Amino acid sequence: MSLTLRTISRDQHLAYIQSLPSASHCQVPAWADVKTEWRSENLGWFDKSGEMVGAGLVLYRQLPKIKRYLAYLPEGPVINWYAPNLDDWLQPMLTHLKQQGAFSVKMGPPVVIRRWDSAAIKSGIQDPDVKRLRDVEATHIEPRAFEVSDRLRKMGWQQGEDGGAGFGDVQPRYVFQVPLANRSLEDVLKGFNQLWRRNIKKADKAGVEVVQGSYEDLAEWQRLYEITAVRDHFRPRPLSYFERMWKVLNSEDPNRMRLYFARHNGVNLSAATMLVVGGHVWYSYGASDNIGREVRPSNAMQWRMLRDSYAMGATVYDLRGISDSLDETDHLFGLIQFKVGTGGEAVEYVGEWDFPLNKLLHKALDIYMSRR
């Protein structure tokens, strides 16, 4: 199969993404406008007949003082990862990116390697000898994913560290998803653990109301988000980031980004942003106040977002990143504990991979990042 690669227009890129059942929100053309500190390019792969068979959003980050770039394809490119001739897809890309001044390429193949259902995770949490998800026997293993990893290694790609050192935004290797395909809403609710179902009922009884917000409500979102940042000790993104995200994503597709609030007696207690690409829906950012937790606004909000995803015909509701730690003393353990209550599954991707086009500059970047 002879493939050619060339720069394409945003419209061509969007049309290709829209022809697929789903793709990552990090690979839609508008994502480039969210990441203003990166230069971007849209790439297309074409077969012999001239038909587009793959696409990729590349973000370029310039090194200080020299015109050399890190080329990054977050959760992409969108190609046939299981093709036996993977080299024919990736070699033209490397050649092209080198011509564009890239000294190193980072990509995140959207290839799932393992899945653990809720029962497997719970048994891992209860076992004192188990500290990590990978110590638990997976419920499903994708053998083709191991072949993808082997092919990448043979080509000279290097696997990033778990979580990655990341020059910018590194995507999570482990995520938590609730499958919706071929299930009734009743089945989905039945899959929730007792605590979640009790909390949803509690919120309903207390009169918690979940509503969709608009662009005008982003300042209120920011208020709750900044309260969360102080409580959870992270540096919040500015309001301008979410305003830009809303404008650029929803100008590409009016349903790409949504905002939700859970309120009680007219007071907003929690909020979340949602992203939609085809049949894949992501709970993107979450925020909550320090008050009103007893009426369980977050559970009510997640259940509403899940129901809306289902009504849209989504096949998966993605709660995004988790750590693979099952150690109750780990500060990230609460994340998996909260998400496992939805009865979904932990999903491991093959992780991010680097190709050093200039080994010296790549090494220098590694050293710089490790000292930060």
Side-chain angles (χ1 to χ4, degrees):
M1 185 183 179
S2 156
L3 293 165
T4 54
L5 177 131
R6 62 174 181 266
T7 304
I8 54 172
S9 71
R10 288 178 64 136
D11 288 345
Q12 280 176 293
H13 187 168
L14 182 60
Y16 182 73
I17 294 289
Q18 285 170 333
S19 74
L20 305 172
S22 72
S24 168
H25 62 274
C26 300
Q27 281 295 306
V28 300
W31 193 251
D33 302 325
V34 177
K35 301 292 170 191
T36 49
E37 66 278 26
W38 301 70
R39 178 169 72 83
S40 68
E41 185 183 18
N42 307 84
L43 297 180
W45 279 259
F46 295 84
D47 66 13
K48 269 185 188 160
S49 68
E51 189 188 345
M52 186 156 48
V53 288
L57 173 69
V58 188
L59 302 175
Y60 293 98
R61 188 73 170 265
Q62 190 174 343
L63 273 180
K65 296 178 184 158
I66 56 168
K67 280 212 156 173
R68 300 303 296 275
Y69 303 86
L70 168 73
Y72 182 35
L73 294 97
E75 298 185 4
V78 185
I79 59 173
N80 178 10
W81 283 98
Y82 300 123
N85 60 331
L86 195 52
D87 213 2
D88 294 354
W89 291 81
L90 297 179
Q91 212 46 58
M93 181 182 86
L94 290 174
T95 304
H96 175 85
L97 297 176
K98 194 172 187 175
Q99 286 164 354
Q100 297 296 307
F103 70 88
S104 187
V105 181
K106 181 183 280 293
M107 65 177 183
V111 174
V112 170
I113 197 160
R114 293 183 191 87
R115 295 177 189 272
W116 294 264
D117 65 19
S118 294
I121 300 163
K122 282 174 199 161
S123 70
I125 291 170
Q126 284 156 7
D127 185 340
D129 295 332
V130 169
K131 295 295 175 202
R132 300 206 160 270
L133 202 48
R134 67 189 74 170
D135 301 332
V136 178
E137 194 179 335
T139 319
H140 175 78
I141 290 175
E142 177 50 76
R144 294 183 305 167
F146 292 96
E147 290 166 24
V148 172
S149 295
D150 286 345
R151 285 186 191 126
L152 291 174
R153 269 188 212 98
K154 281 177 187 148
M155 284 178 226
W157 288 85
Q158 299 167 3
Q159 191 158 25
E161 294 299 309
D162 276 4
F167 186 67
D169 302 37
V170 174
Q171 304 305 319
R173 179 178 295 190
Y174 294 92
V175 301
F176 202 89
Q177 297 177 348
V178 180
L180 299 177
N182 308 315
R183 297 175 77 192
S184 69
L185 258 184
E186 202 181 325
D187 285 342
V188 175
L189 185 60
K190 271 185 193 159
F192 281 32
N193 70 13
Q194 239 179 332
L195 183 64
W196 262 83
R197 291 202 300 271
R198 200 161 57 231
N199 286 346
I200 290 166
K201 269 188 190 157
K202 197 172 189 176
D204 189 40
K205 216 171 175 179
V208 171
E209 185 191 6
V210 181
V211 295
Q212 255 186 273
S214 64
Y215 178 81
E216 286 67 37
D217 299 306
L218 284 169
E220 173 63 358
W221 148 264
Q222 192 71 16
R223 179 186 75 80
L224 290 167
Y225 174 61
E226 286 179 10
I227 289 170
T228 310
V230 171
R231 186 178 65 238
D232 294 349
H233 312 291
F234 66 85
R235 202 170 82 200
R237 291 189 182 276
L239 173 60
S240 57
Y241 179 82
F242 294 102
E243 289 176 336
R244 182 169 69 245
M245 201 174 174
W246 184 281
K247 280 178 181 166
V248 300
L249 292 178
N250 286 339
S251 66
E252 181 175 271
D253 179 331
N255 198 35
R256 185 77 82 225
M257 181 177 175
R258 289 183 174 197
L259 177 63
Y260 286 84
F261 291 98
R263 58 173 67 141
H264 185 241
N265 295 335
V267 179
N268 292 316
L269 297 175
S270 58
T273 62
M274 177 200 264
L275 299 176
V276 184
V277 182
H280 203 128
V281 173
W282 293 263
Y283 156 53
S284 177
Y285 285 87
S288 61
D289 206 330
N290 297 326
I291 58 165
R293 295 183 154 213
E294 68 286 349
V295 295
R296 307 300 178 196
S298 294
N299 299 89
M301 185 173 65
Q302 288 295 340
W303 177 228
R304 163 72 191 272
M305 288 165 74
L306 227 151
R307 293 200 318 271
D308 285 3
S309 305
Y310 189 89
M312 275 187 259
T315 53
V316 64
Y317 180 71
D318 196 322
L319 289 129
R320 285 301 274 169
I322 51 169
S323 149
D324 87 323
S325 175
L326 298 182
D327 180 354
E328 294 187 24
T329 61
D330 190 304
H331 71 291
L332 291 169
F333 173 73
L335 215 54
I336 194 167
Q337 196 178 31
F338 176 74
K339 294 176 182 181
V340 81
T342 61
E345 54 191 20
V347 176
E348 181 191 0
Y349 285 90
V350 293
E352 296 199 316
W353 293 72
D354 298 303
F355 196 99
L357 294 165
N358 178 319
K359 290 192 167 72
L360 202 67
L361 286 175
H362 180 84
K363 186 75 186 149
L365 175 72
D366 263 1
I367 293 166
Y368 166 72
M369 291 309 297
S370 66
R371 286 180 182 163
R372 275 177 76 184

Coordinates of all heavy atoms in Angstrom, one line a residue, residues 13 97 99 130 138 169 186 225 287:
H13 N -9.6 18.4 6.9 CA -9.3 17.6 8.2 C -10.6 17.4 9.0 O -10.9 16.3 9.4 CB -8.3 18.4 9.0 CG -7.8 17.7 10.2 ND1 -6.8 18.2 11.0 CD2 -8.2 16.6 10.9 CE1 -6.5 17.4 12.0 NE2 -7.4 16.4 12.0
L97 N 8.0 16.1 9.0 CA 8.2 16.9 10.2 C 9.7 17.4 10.3 O 9.9 18.5 10.8 CB 7.8 16.1 11.5 CG 6.3 15.7 11.5 CD1 6.0 14.9 12.7 CD2 5.4 17.0 11.5
Q99 N 11.5 18.2 7.8 CA 11.6 19.3 6.8 C 11.0 20.6 7.4 O 11.4 21.7 7.1 CB 10.9 18.9 5.5 CG 11.6 17.9 4.7 CD 10.7 17.3 3.6 OE1 9.5 17.6 3.6 NE2 11.3 16.5 2.7
V130 N -1.6 -5.6 46.5 CA -1.7 -4.9 45.2 C -1.5 -3.4 45.4 O -2.3 -2.8 46.2 CB -3.0 -5.3 44.5 CG1 -3.3 -4.4 43.3 CG2 -3.0 -6.7 44.1
A138 N -5.9 -8.1 34.0 CA -6.8 -7.4 33.2 C -8.0 -8.2 32.7 O -7.9 -9.4 32.6 CB -6.1 -6.8 31.9
D169 N 1.7 19.7 27.2 CA 0.5 18.9 27.7 C 0.7 17.5 27.4 O 0.6 17.1 26.2 CB -0.8 19.5 27.1 CG -1.0 20.9 27.3 OD1 0.0 21.6 27.3 OD2 -2.1 21.3 27.5
E186 N -31.0 1.9 32.1 CA -31.3 1.2 33.3 C -30.1 0.3 33.6 O -29.7 0.2 34.8 CB -32.5 0.3 33.1 CG -33.2 -0.1 34.4 CD -34.4 -1.0 34.1 OE1 -35.1 -0.7 33.1 OE2 -34.7 -1.9 34.9
Y225 N -14.1 26.7 40.0 CA -12.8 26.0 39.6 C -11.6 26.6 40.4 O -10.8 25.8 40.8 CB -12.6 26.3 38.1 CG -11.3 25.9 37.5 CD1 -10.9 24.5 37.4 CD2 -10.5 26.8 36.8 CE1 -9.7 24.1 36.8 CE2 -9.3 26.4 36.2 CZ -8.9 25.1 36.2 OH -7.8 24.7 35.6
A287 N -15.3 21.0 38.8 CA -15.1 22.0 39.9 C -16.2 21.9 40.9 O -17.3 21.5 40.6 CB -15.0 23.4 39.3

